[in-house]
Amino acid sequence: MFKRSATCHATRRRVRRRRSRRGVVLVVVLVVIMMLALGAYSFTQLMTAELAATDSYERESQARAFADSGIELAAAVLGEASDGALRTNVYNNTALFQEVLVSDADQARRRGRFSLVAPVPPDVGGGIRYGLVDESSKLNLNALVEYEVEEDAQTDSLMHLPGMTADVANAILDWIDGDDTARYGGAEAQYYGSLVPPVEPRNGPLDSLDELLRVRGVTRQLLYGEDANRNGLLDPEENDGAASLPLDNADGVLDLGWAPYLTVVSREANRRVDGTPRINVNGDDLAALYDELLTEFDEETAQFVVAYRMSGPVNNSAGGAGGSSGQSGGQSSGGQSGGQSSGGQTSGGQSSSGQSSGGQSSGRGGASAQGNSGAANGSSPNGSGGQGGQSSGGNTGQGSGGAGSAGRGSTSSEQRGGLAIPSGGGSQQIGSLYDLVGATVQVELNGAQQTLESPWPDEPSELGERLPQMLDALTTTDDETIDGRINVVEAPREVILAIPEIDEQLVPVLLAAQSNSGGAYDSDPLRATTAWLLVEGHADAEQMRTLDRYITGRGDVYRVQAVGHFNSGGPVVRTEALIDATALPPQVVWVRDLSNLGPGYSTTDGTAANTNQ
């Protein structure tokens, strides 16, 4: 009986344990299912986040590609030669540069565009335009120290920048110039060597504007002002005092600093606007020069320019003509120049014993130089004149002896248009193409001494078509580029005032031309050069000879801001690039990402790009 009872109890315990195990399994199964569900949910969330991140990365990459497309378009446009005479308008071209569709799609959030945007200077209305910034519209610091003017004049050029002081200006010039002599109030190696750690001044051309931050007295506030996002527009945070960065004076006017007015690279290609080579009027082969001029212009022009190179002007500050013609008996008479050189008299040479002496020439501020004598007894037909001094503010002219006709046994010459052109080249160099305007030359033509008048008379009413053609077709150098000249049809007031020897009466004229053009000068042949200043009577030929070294109608190095975005929402990418179009095809020198500074522009007012969403 007892054994049976024990057996029953054991059986009941086993049954209860089995039932307990079945309950545990159920709980375990439920826990496992719950964990699997949580894992699936977490995986789904992770994949959703990854998908969003991938989509965001893809859209940002696309927006960057849109901006890159804008830079490539700018380079392509700069590289195109137009079908007429001028390049496409790149100053303000909404049809070409505003909201350009790159990637089309059914959904607005997938439709991609870019805009090329530039600020308009406050002097001419402010706001933005759709185009490129010509670096030649700025003052080139590297070129400034090379200007053949007094050091004080270089300092004065910088004094027109907002907040500039004479000490800081001289420190900047000391940093760039090649010597170790400090200007008054400036700084050279002695100062920079005393710093901890010591700094070595550049004493050479700057690579970037940021390098100015190493110059004594230059601060980021001076260089970049209140324009924290580099868009050239007054944004709310740039006009709220100390409420938010950047710090500003809340005066309702954007302090742009010096950056919009300065550059370290500006140059223009020494070729015509349609990309073809120019004719160098200072070439050594005068016969070839005559042939090129005859093809480009006419016989009158070819005769005058070559005669100018042979004997120089008789009524121009560039110098006077010397010896005239060699006699068959071995004697030559010295030709006399009737010209006066802005404060210096130019005299012709004298003849004696069969020799032709070159004339003496002098200009204001320069010493006269005795010309070399040339024997006309069979060794040389030319009496070369001395080099003229400086005239009208530093232009150097050369007074040269005129070409004498061949005597017995003289060197060979070639006949072109009645001129006996010496094979040795001309004795007169042309410093500026404006030297040819209104000039007169005396030369032996068809065996008789004649006076030739310039085909470009100093009469504005007669220069409207011929002068722009001449400035585009001719050059005075074989150099591939001309560096540092200022584009006066885009330059702001501060830069125009910085031009050495500028007549202040020209400043309002230039600014008025900018505000009235709206970029139309890109399609105006007269505005493509500086000819309009003379043609419209704003300056005379003498002023243009002085200013020609410093001013131009357009450059060939451009800065561009490209904004890539979508039609609705999404990331905005803003990049800045420098494009050098002096070589063909144009080269993108560098690209800088400005996206961290914000979109900069908004499409809500039809400008450039939408804000991040």
Side-chain angles (χ1 to χ4, degrees), residues 566-581:
F566 292 89
N567 267 30
S568 176
V572 176
V573 172
R574 182 159 60 110
T575 59
E576 184 179 47
L578 189 74
I579 303 174
D580 186 349

Side-chain angles (χ1 to χ4, degrees), residues 82-358:
S82 66
D83 54 1
L86 291 176
R87 185 188 295 152
T88 302
N89 173 11
V90 297
Y91 179 78
N92 188 20
N93 194 328
T94 56
L96 193 58
F97 298 137
Q98 180 182 6
E99 299 293 322
V100 179
L101 181 64
V102 181
S103 177
D104 201 1
D106 294 335
Q107 296 178 330
R109 68 183 304 274
R110 293 291 181 184
R111 196 173 300 127
R113 299 179 182 272
F114 72 78
S115 293
L116 303 185
V117 185
V120 176
D123 289 345
V124 288
I128 69 165
R129 57 184 171 86
Y130 295 92
L132 317 181
V133 177
D134 186 352
E135 287 295 284
S136 291
S137 66
K138 305 174 184 179
L139 179 64
N140 188 328
L141 290 174
N142 292 331
L144 177 61
V145 296
E146 301 296 330
Y147 285 165
E148 295 180 0
V149 296
E150 297 292 333
E151 287 188 353
D152 288 346
Q154 296 176 357
T155 305
D156 289 343
S157 291
L158 291 176
M159 291 302 295
H160 297 287
L161 299 178
M164 181 62 74
T165 65
D167 289 352
V168 174
N170 283 327
I172 292 173
L173 295 169
D174 278 337
W175 182 273
I176 303 171
D177 66 25
D179 60 55
D180 287 321
T181 303
R183 304 172 190 234
Y184 183 78
E188 278 286 1
Q190 182 177 3
Y191 164 77
Y192 293 106
S194 66
L195 300 178
V196 181
V199 176
E200 185 175 349
R202 167 72 67 174
N203 284 345
L206 296 171
D207 290 331
S208 70
L209 282 184
D210 286 340
E211 189 178 337
L212 289 178
L213 296 174
R214 304 177 66 189
V215 177
R216 190 198 68 188
V218 178
T219 65
R220 185 168 294 276
Q221 179 70 21
L222 287 171
L223 188 57
Y224 293 112
E226 300 167 347
D227 190 18
N229 60 359
R230 312 280 181 88
N231 66 347
L233 304 176
L234 182 63
D235 297 305
E237 64 273 15
E238 297 166 350
N239 191 37
D240 61 1
S244 64
L245 293 177
L247 298 178
D248 59 79
N249 54 15
D251 62 352
V253 178
L254 179 63
D255 176 11
L256 293 170
W258 300 338
Y261 309 120
L262 300 177
T263 184
V264 298
V265 52
S266 62
R267 65 177 65 96
E268 55 198 284
N270 192 16
R271 59 175 182 265
R272 308 184 203 207
V273 292
D274 64 0
T276 58
R278 287 172 169 160
I279 301 170
N280 182 8
V281 295
N282 286 325
D284 293 332
D285 191 338
L286 294 189
L289 174 61
Y290 184 97
D291 294 338
E292 289 181 292
L293 292 169
L294 183 63
T295 301
E296 180 70 27
F297 297 98
D298 51 37
E299 185 177 58
E300 176 191 6
T301 302
Q303 288 175 336
F304 175 80
V305 174
V306 172
Y308 190 107
R309 287 290 317 281
M310 290 169 58
S311 57
V314 296
N315 65 342
N316 189 289
S317 61
S324 172
S325 62
Q327 305 291 328
S328 60
Q331 295 181 348
S332 70
S333 61
Q336 187 169 1
S337 164
Q340 187 167 354
S341 173
S342 297
Q345 182 70 36
T346 305
S347 61
Q350 296 180 348
S351 64
S352 63
S353 304
Q355 289 191 347
S356 166
S357 65

Side-chain angles (χ1 to χ4, degrees), residues 519-575:
Y521 54 79
D522 279 288
S523 56
D524 182 354
L526 194 59
R527 288 294 196 274
T529 68
T530 55
W532 66 280
L533 288 169
L534 185 56
V535 171
E536 296 180 5
H538 302 302
D540 57 32
E542 185 62 32
Q543 286 177 297
M544 295 308 298
R545 291 185 193 107
T546 301
L547 293 175
D548 190 39
R549 294 172 293 169
Y550 309 118
I551 66 175
T552 184
R554 76 187 311 164
D556 286 293
V557 178
Y558 288 85
R559 189 180 297 260
V560 55
Q561 272 200 43
V563 183
H565 64 98
F566 292 89
N567 267 30
S568 176
V572 176
V573 172
R574 182 159 60 110
T575 59

Side-chain angles (χ1 to χ4, degrees), residues 594-610:
L594 302 181
S595 302
N596 62 310
L597 300 178
Y601 306 94
S602 172
T603 53
T604 56
D605 57 358
T607 53
N610 59 317

